[in-house]
Amino acid sequence: MRAARLISLVLLLQARGTMTAGQLAEELEVSERTVYRDVEALSAAGVPVYAEQGRNGGYRLVGGYRTRLTGLSREEAEALFLSGLPGPAGDMGLADAVGAAQLKVLAALPAPFRDASARAGQRFHLDAPGWFGNADPPPLLERLAQAVWGDETVEIRYRKQHEVTRVVEPYGLVLKNGVWYLIGHVGDGHRTYRVERITAVEPVGEMFDRDEGFDLPGYWAGQAAAFLRSMLRDEITVRLSPLGLRRLKYNVEPYAAQRAAEDAGEPDEHGWVTTRLPVESPDVAQTELLRLGPEVEVLEPAELRDRMRETAARLAALYR
């Protein structure tokens, strides 16, 4: 543990130049006293760490010293591809690996390029979780991530209407709108499990041979499309004003809005179009279409049209 910290200290000074004991302590998550002892150990080992006194002082490496201890381990190399997602990487227990990999890359860069990470971080940020999602990762996420990295077959207990047990080959993890999903191979096909519903993970003592042709992003895209098609199992007929057609994508599923735009007929003399809109149910459709106010008219089914008319009458009476 201490050896890794000493290497990190040298890499920090190599990448950033001069740093105070306080800054090093914050980066390494240790006390300043520990930093002082580590610097003494490095000096004793022949690493030319120099302490500058004064207001702008701190520790630095003398004479352009550069360590060659910048090779990435396999774990760090794999984790580097998650470095744009620090929150999710931390949730999976990979924060230390990501940090070490980034330090080694920075240390290996020529001096003029070492601000690349800071420049990118100041300009781009990916906030993966949803606005109102649970900030805490599922309790078993880190254990599942270990199984995914290690191609380790596990037995999981999964809570649906009742709890079931499955032996799963964990192929991947997907984060969608702040919710984690496990993609696992079971029997003769792949299945999707919501991680927060997994109540136990136990190793079965064997590894599985991963199908290298399995395309996780492609599989997830197909699953998402199939889920939307199964969810939007009904269709209704509506008339939309030009404004209503533009606003539709903000009030219904994007897939449904796209289908409605593609199926829209020619505009009438007022610019209104008639189209078919995929919906989950009449209840959900009523809630979504009421957001469009007078920019939409339901034509079919008659039951939904009657409900929209009754709601409009109640609104008119309320605001009379």
Side-chain angles (χ1 to χ4, degrees):
M1 183 69 178
R2 190 190 187 198
R5 189 176 69 242
L6 292 174
I7 293 172
S8 294
L9 193 156
V10 174
L11 292 174
L12 281 167
L13 294 179
Q14 185 172 314
R16 302 186 187 178
T18 302
M19 296 182 69
T20 66
Q23 290 171 332
L24 287 167
E26 182 177 356
E27 287 285 347
L28 299 171
E29 298 183 351
V30 296
S31 67
E32 291 189 25
R33 184 177 296 274
T34 298
V35 171
Y36 299 146
R37 289 198 295 265
D38 286 350
V39 169
E40 289 177 2
L42 288 170
S43 296
V47 178
V49 181
Y50 175 71
E52 291 184 328
Q53 304 298 322
R55 181 177 178 183
N56 298 318
Y59 293 107
R60 65 179 177 85
L61 296 173
V62 177
Y65 174 87
R66 297 181 66 80
T67 177
R68 301 192 180 196
L69 296 173
T70 54
L72 296 177
S73 70
R74 179 178 181 85
E75 181 187 23
E76 292 165 352
E78 291 171 336
L80 184 61
F81 291 96
L82 297 172
S83 58
L85 295 167
D91 291 346
M92 291 188 289
L94 297 171
D96 290 343
V98 169
Q102 290 174 329
L103 268 180
K104 291 182 178 182
V105 170
L106 281 174
L109 288 173
F113 300 156
R114 289 183 196 156
D115 66 341
S117 175
R119 283 173 55 82
Q122 290 167 352
R123 289 162 174 78
F124 304 102
H125 174 65
L126 177 59
D127 185 8
W131 279 107
F132 305 109
N134 188 350
D136 297 325
L140 295 173
L141 176 62
E142 185 172 341
R143 179 66 188 89
L144 287 168
Q146 293 170 358
V148 169
W149 282 117
D151 295 340
E152 176 188 5
T153 303
V154 294
E155 181 182 86
I156 65 171
R157 288 206 301 272
Y158 189 69
R159 187 180 67 252
K160 297 197 292 186
Q161 288 81 4
H162 57 279
E163 202 166 71
V164 298
T165 301
R166 297 283 186 270
V167 175
V168 177
E169 296 174 351
Y171 264 63
L173 288 162
V174 175
L175 178 63
K176 172 69 172 178
N177 290 341
V179 179
W180 285 96
Y181 296 89
L182 171 71
I183 312 303
H185 186 265
V186 180
D188 59 353
H190 290 88
R191 302 287 185 271
T192 302
Y193 301 93
R194 190 161 171 152
V195 172
E196 64 187 21
R197 295 181 182 170
I198 297 176
T199 60
V201 179
E202 297 293 339
V204 301
E206 62 184 49
M207 315 290 284
F208 66 91
D209 294 325
R210 177 179 290 269
D211 176 7
E212 297 301 333
F214 177 72
D215 177 12
L216 179 61
Y219 170 84
W220 179 257
Q223 286 292 104
F227 174 74
L228 270 179
R229 287 193 295 269
S230 67
M231 183 180 71
L232 303 176
R233 57 187 179 274
D234 290 339
E235 278 193 346
I236 63 174
T237 304
V238 296
R239 287 181 68 239
L240 290 158
S241 70
L243 178 59
L245 187 60
R246 290 197 300 271
R247 289 183 176 176
L248 187 64
K249 62 183 178 181
Y250 303 114
N251 293 281
V252 302
E253 287 289 341
Y255 167 78
Q258 180 181 350
R259 281 279 308 278
E262 292 171 351
D263 294 345
E266 290 297 320
D268 63 16
E269 64 272 20
H270 302 294
W272 286 59
V273 296
T274 300
T275 188
R276 300 286 292 174
L277 176 68
V279 298
E280 182 176 350
S281 68
D283 287 340
V284 174
Q286 182 180 11
T287 301
E288 292 175 339
L289 295 180
L290 282 172
R291 300 179 193 141
L292 293 175
E295 307 304 325
V296 62
E297 177 188 4
V298 174
L299 302 179
E300 294 178 347
E303 176 190 0
L304 179 57
R305 180 177 174 86
D306 291 342
R307 289 168 60 176
M308 294 288 286
R309 181 171 55 246
E310 291 168 5
T311 302
R314 290 174 58 193
L315 280 170
L318 184 64
Y319 286 99
R320 182 174 296 133

